[in-house]
Amino acid sequence: MSRIEVGYSPPLHGEVSPPPDKSISHRAMILAGIADGRSHIRNFLNADDPLRTVEAFRQMGIGIEESKTQDSIPRTQSRELIVHGRGLKGLREPEGVIDCGNSGTTMRLLSGVLAGQPFTATLTGDASLRKRPMQRIIRPLTEMGAIMESGPEGRPPLRITGGDLRPISYRSPVASAQVKSAILLAGLYCDGVTSVIEPERSRDHTERMLGSAGVDVRIKGLEVAVRGKAEIRPLDMTIPGDFSSAAFFIVAASIVHGSEILIKDTGVNPTRTGLIDIMAQMGARIELRDVRVVSGEPVADIYVRHSELKGVTVGGDLVVRAIDEFPVLCVAAAIADGVTKITGASELRVKESDRIATIASELRRMGVRVEELEDGIIIEGRRRLRASIIHSHGDHRVAMAMAVAGLRADGVTTIEDTECVNTSFPGFAEMLMGLIK
Ligand code: S3P
């Protein structure tokens, strides 16, 4: 069993480049797989989750050439892909079951594509993914005309028989980019316009990328619409660094005295950067430098210095814009002066783990007073954490967040069962240690 050990940290100094964006890597592979012709994807995330999506397309007959990228900084997380897309209808029936591993994005987005195929495919995953709710995509994709079979209560495995789909206008009960993307991808297989209306705006990478690939995409308020049966132009793109991975360093430098770091080449899409806004309210010193656009996404270098944080109250659309950053935000709250209250975050209960329960239990081990709410958490900050033995609960973001907490604990903190970190951020511990001089 792999583990990460962290001690009370001296100031963090230096530069890091976070691994490529996971969400965009999945979408790049999916769009390239159904595009007409040869796509070139640079800086694809070389981690378990997006590689599941790559494997799924191989199983469906798509030719994919890949090479590891050599960078000035040893970035084992990056690959370069050449994908020989065969058009919307070019996939073939996979032999055997498609194993999505731990990746909800693979399962939900692929379901949208499979809903439009003239064959049957089965999707499964690991023990965590098999517990996650799929009703949220089963309902709209069934309404569009796909036959969706699942385990009890809409849990995986999913057996999808695609067919002739009809366009729908779907009001989603949850703000979920995975649900939105599944419907928009299925919409590519419909005659006419398919639209999704969300309660809050979730990350918008799918609609940005579809638009760049030549699909007619319209956005009005919280509604996104696509016109189907369009040709998808092959992609030629460079994937930015993952803000959600950068988030661990943003919090680490903010809570460790004397720190000053630069996080390079990081995606700063506003649907993802809620953590910066929340941390600014807490008194953090975070600056975006050299903001530019790369392959249709805003990218910047993020300069972070230590500061004394104070507690904050968070709810509403800020939660959606920081949904994956909750574990590490709770660590910032644990060190902040005063109380932090987060509400409107019940989606956290159905992530890779029940993140409200898992982060509450692990912070308590470090001596933090925490109250779990049905849809959030209340955390009382303290100056120093108690070093302890921490469980990851098989959740990559819990593991990495707790490693960051260990930087402010009074001894050596051991995070156990950290294999899961490889789903999004191989090399995380080495990158963090590289900042400790
Ligand atoms: C993702 C969307 C979010 C996020 C997940 C990745 C995506 O999930 O938590 O890590 O790439 O679309 P939901 O759509 O379930 O909110």
Side-chain angles (χ1 to χ4, degrees):
M1 191 169 72
S2 67
R3 56 175 54 184
I4 297 175
E5 286 187 352
V6 194
Y8 186 83
S9 181
L12 305 178
H13 281 295
E15 290 185 7
V16 286
S17 295
D21 189 279
K22 180 155 82 70
S23 287
I24 299 175
S25 294
H26 284 293
R27 287 156 172 81
M29 179 62 243
I30 292 171
L31 291 190
I34 57 173
D36 281 275
R38 180 180 182 276
S39 290
H40 188 177
I41 306 166
R42 286 169 292 273
N43 205 35
F44 185 90
L45 175 61
N46 186 27
D48 292 348
D49 271 18
L51 293 178
R52 295 286 179 176
T53 303
V54 171
E55 265 327 294
F57 276 89
R58 286 217 168 96
Q59 272 177 267
M60 294 191 287
I62 298 301
I64 302 162
E65 299 159 43
E66 51 185 311
S67 54
K68 294 224 168 102
T69 309
Q70 289 304 322
D71 272 353
S72 47
I73 315 157
R75 267 211 257 187
T76 52
Q77 308 97 333
S78 167
R79 289 191 189 191
E80 194 164 331
L81 302 186
I82 302 289
V83 180
H84 300 278
R86 294 164 18 123
L88 276 175
K89 291 283 182 189
L91 303 178
R92 64 153 205 252
E93 181 159 357
E95 270 174 38
V97 169
I98 294 175
D99 185 353
C100 304
N102 191 246
S103 176
T105 313
T106 304
M107 183 168 282
R108 296 202 179 107
L109 269 59
L110 215 49
S111 295
V113 173
L114 290 170
Q117 307 304 321
F119 55 72
T120 300
T122 302
L123 302 176
T124 191
D126 69 8
S128 150
L129 185 54
R130 289 200 310 274
K131 283 193 224 132
R132 297 183 66 187
M134 294 298 147
Q135 203 59 48
R136 51 183 63 197
I137 55 159
I138 293 175
R139 197 172 301 130
L141 296 177
T142 304
E143 209 180 297
M144 294 176 85
I147 299 169
M148 309 282 297
E149 297 163 75
S150 71
E153 294 168 38
R155 312 277 170 204
L158 295 180
R159 187 165 185 272
I160 303 172
T161 305
D164 283 333
L165 301 183
R166 47 185 173 271
I168 58 170
S169 176
Y170 190 71
R171 195 172 279 279
S172 176
V174 280
S176 158
Q178 294 179 354
V179 171
K180 172 173 65 180
S181 303
I183 299 167
L184 296 177
L185 289 167
L188 298 175
Y189 290 86
C190 299
D191 274 318
V193 175
T194 297
S195 73
V196 184
I197 303 142
E198 299 191 275
E200 313 267 5
R201 183 181 310 291
S202 64
R203 64 191 66 188
D204 65 358
H205 306 301
T206 302
E207 42 273 46
R208 281 177 189 251
M209 292 172 76
L210 284 173
S212 315
V215 176
D216 181 2
V217 179
R218 307 257 161 115
I219 299 167
K220 206 170 99 204
L222 295 171
E223 178 169 17
V224 185
V226 293
R227 183 173 290 280
K229 299 270 165 90
E231 204 171 278
I232 316 266
R233 275 202 301 265
L235 286 63
D236 182 1
M237 72 179 297
T238 302
I239 296 174
D242 197 324
F243 182 82
S244 297
S245 297
F248 299 105
F249 296 99
I250 294 176
V251 172
S254 295
I255 66 173
V256 173
H257 292 107
S259 297
E260 181 182 5
I261 67 167
L262 189 67
I263 309 167
K264 307 260 303 169
D265 305 322
T266 306
V268 287
N269 180 316
T271 60
R272 297 283 298 278
T273 52
L275 179 79
I276 293 183
D277 300 348
I278 298 168
M279 296 277 295
Q281 286 180 39
M282 297 175 84
R285 295 191 291 171
I286 303 168
E287 268 172 47
L288 295 190
R289 293 186 170 172
D290 191 14
V291 182
R292 62 250 184 216
V293 174
V294 177
S295 303
E297 289 279 347
V299 171
D301 299 336
I302 307 174
Y303 175 64
V304 190
R305 279 169 296 167
H306 167 259
S307 56
E308 297 298 338
L309 301 178
K310 52 184 190 296
V312 72
T313 300
V314 187
D317 77 317
L318 262 183
V319 171
V320 181
R321 293 176 52 237
I323 193 71
D324 288 342
E325 286 60 77
F326 174 86
V328 80
L329 172 62
C330 288
V331 170
I335 287 296
D337 184 21
V339 174
T340 292
K341 182 175 184 185
I342 303 170
T343 54
S346 50
E347 272 297 298
L348 293 164
R349 298 232 175 246
V350 291
K351 295 291 178 192
E352 287 84 327
S353 68
D354 173 345
R355 285 186 176 154
I356 296 176
T358 51
I359 210 74
S361 90
E362 299 317 302
L363 283 178
R364 282 190 191 115
R365 282 183 213 276
M366 298 187 85
V368 183
R369 289 177 65 171
V370 180
E371 187 186 331
E372 255 189 68
L373 308 173
E374 197 38 51
D375 70 338
I377 201 161
I378 299 174
I379 296 172
E380 248 178 66
R382 47 186 281 150
R383 294 200 60 76
R384 200 179 256 221
L385 303 175
R386 192 166 68 211
S388 43
I389 294 177
I390 297 294
H391 302 301
S392 72
H393 299 265
D395 185 329
H396 55 137
R397 299 203 198 279
V398 172
M400 291 186 275
M402 296 310 295
V404 171
L407 300 171
R408 281 291 300 262
D410 57 3
V412 174
T413 295
T414 304
I415 297 97
E416 294 192 320
D417 190 14
T418 53
E419 270 303 308
C420 52
V421 165
N422 292 332
T423 61
S424 67
F425 199 159
F428 162 76
E430 293 75 7
M431 202 180 272
L432 183 61
M433 298 313 157
L435 291 172
I436 301 173
K437 300 279 155 58

